[in-house]
Amino acid sequence: MYRLTLSAALKPFLAPSALVASLALPVAGVAAQERPTAEAMEAVRDADLALATVGFRLATANAPLCDRQEPGLGIQLHTLDQFDAGAREAARAHFGFAAPIAIEGVVAGSPAEQAGLRRDDSLLRVGAVDLAAIAGKPGTTDRLVAAQLAIAALPPSAPVEVAYLRGGVAGSATVTPLPACKSRFELLLGTAYPASADGTMVQIGARFLEEYPADQFAAVVAHEFSHNILHHRDRLEARGVTWGLLAGLGGNVKYFRQTELQADLLSVYLLANAGYPPRASVAFWKKFGPSKAGGFLRSRSHPHWADRVATIDAEIARIDSNPTRPLVPAALAERAQPLSGDWQSLIVRRK
């Protein structure tokens, strides 16, 4: 588990719009104009790579379940843009940026590692994607997002040539990616517990990484990732639902509850296929649910956490009786269909 103290002291280190992509440890007594320490910047790297590793593992192990795929390279990117003006030169020196986009971290055992790519390699080109030609704006993640999306549009399993600078010397490597479910993964800084998916991206609050064991953190990621695999955002929009505070009112409720339960059920398959214990989801809800899953509106748009545990438990029993991998749940066949709002047939009530 990561022991992070997420406070307002972090904010001077990073531009506000970049907080979705990076995390740093605060340093006691550091004023806004001071440069971030090496320790802080290494915490950025560690935390981002922790989420990237979980995302890569889930996305590649479950590629057969996904109708939208991308090349799974196993690299976590960052840009100079995402650091604010006061931290940018310190970041350039610490990470050795020789180009606007560089490898922040490499997932252990990934195709990128096997091809010899390393953290702090400054990237020039990935296949047909000319990274040097991608425009950016200081204080934003615009360049980072554009690079991620362009790389994701490459063929999911075709070898890709990567050109880089390492210590000022040009090099190249051929990476043979693993097909992966298409999705970006971003870490959100703050003291709350946000977790969301918008169809193309999964965002997870750093507090989950701080306070929950690795397998339970993976369960949170798997749940949100399931929303993307099931195209829930598109299907909810097609139903004309209202988001935000009104999600728990009126005709919205049945659709949100249906998608939450579908994501709960699919998430345990994703965990099992990726070699995580499916019961980590149960352990997470038993810890998170009693103190943090309440609130009137949330309790209406989301099933009660104890019922979710009972529902997940019942599905895990089915998984335990099936040694086949990867497991492909029948519910995937419904993802091209409109949401029916029938959440009652999915739920198992707590005893």
Side-chain angles (χ1 to χ4, degrees), residues 61-66 265-274 276 278 315-316 318-330 332:
N62 289 286
L65 280 62
C66 295
L265 295 172
L266 179 57
S267 70
V268 292
Y269 287 85
L270 302 188
L271 291 170
N273 288 337
Y276 291 107
E315 200 68 19
I316 291 173
R318 297 186 183 94
I319 289 175
D320 289 344
S321 66
N322 185 355
T324 303
R325 296 293 185 274
L327 292 159
V328 182
L332 285 177

Side-chain angles (χ1 to χ4, degrees), residues 2 4 9 40 43 127 143 150 168 171 222 226 244 272 277 317:
Y2 286 75
L4 305 176
R143 193 194 311 260
S226 293

Side-chain angles (χ1 to χ4, degrees), residues 93-337:
H94 181 81
F95 295 114
F97 278 99
I101 298 173
I103 297 178
E104 184 182 20
V106 178
V107 174
S110 68
E113 184 185 65
Q114 293 171 13
L117 292 176
R118 302 178 189 171
R119 69 181 195 174
D120 297 337
D121 284 346
S122 294
L123 297 183
L124 304 176
R125 182 178 294 273
V126 177
V129 181
D130 183 359
L131 295 175
I134 295 176
K137 182 180 179 182
T140 75
T141 55
D142 292 354
R143 193 194 311 260
L144 177 64
V145 172
Q148 290 171 329
L149 292 175
I151 293 170
L154 296 172
S157 58
V160 60
E161 192 78 8
V162 178
Y164 60 84
L165 293 171
R166 180 183 298 164
V169 179
S172 66
T174 300
V175 183
T176 302
L178 295 172
C181 301
K182 184 174 285 188
S183 191
R184 297 187 295 118
F185 297 89
E186 293 186 339
L187 202 64
L188 286 165
L189 182 66
T191 58
Y193 296 86
S196 64
D198 67 0
T200 63
M201 176 175 61
V202 169
Q203 292 184 323
I204 303 293
R207 288 291 296 276
F208 291 110
L209 182 61
E210 175 189 6
E211 295 188 9
Y212 291 86
D215 58 353
Q216 293 182 34
F217 177 71
V220 178
V221 178
H223 172 87
E224 298 303 332
F225 192 23
S226 293
H227 285 305
N228 285 353
I229 293 173
L230 293 168
H231 310 326
H232 278 159
R233 182 77 183 205
D234 292 342
R235 295 162 73 193
L236 285 166
E237 288 179 349
R239 283 296 185 189
V241 302
T242 303
W243 304 87
L245 292 176
L246 297 180
L249 300 175
N252 299 307
V253 173
K254 61 183 179 182
Y255 297 119
F256 281 108
R257 288 194 173 194
Q258 182 184 10
T259 59
E260 287 303 312
L261 288 168
Q262 286 180 345
D264 282 344
L265 295 172
L266 179 57
S267 70
V268 292
Y269 287 85
L270 302 188
L271 291 170
N273 288 337
Y276 291 107
R279 293 199 177 277
S281 183
V282 172
F284 166 77
W285 277 110
K286 286 184 175 179
K287 178 179 178 180
F288 182 82
S291 62
K292 300 185 179 67
F296 171 70
L297 291 175
R298 183 172 180 83
S299 67
R300 286 182 56 82
S301 63
H302 292 57
H304 191 277
W305 69 267
D307 288 338
R308 297 176 78 166
V309 167
T311 303
I312 292 167
D313 255 333
E315 200 68 19
I316 291 173
R318 297 186 183 94
I319 289 175
D320 289 344
S321 66
N322 185 355
T324 303
R325 296 293 185 274
L327 292 159
V328 182
L332 285 177
E334 301 177 6
R335 66 181 156 198
Q337 301 174 11

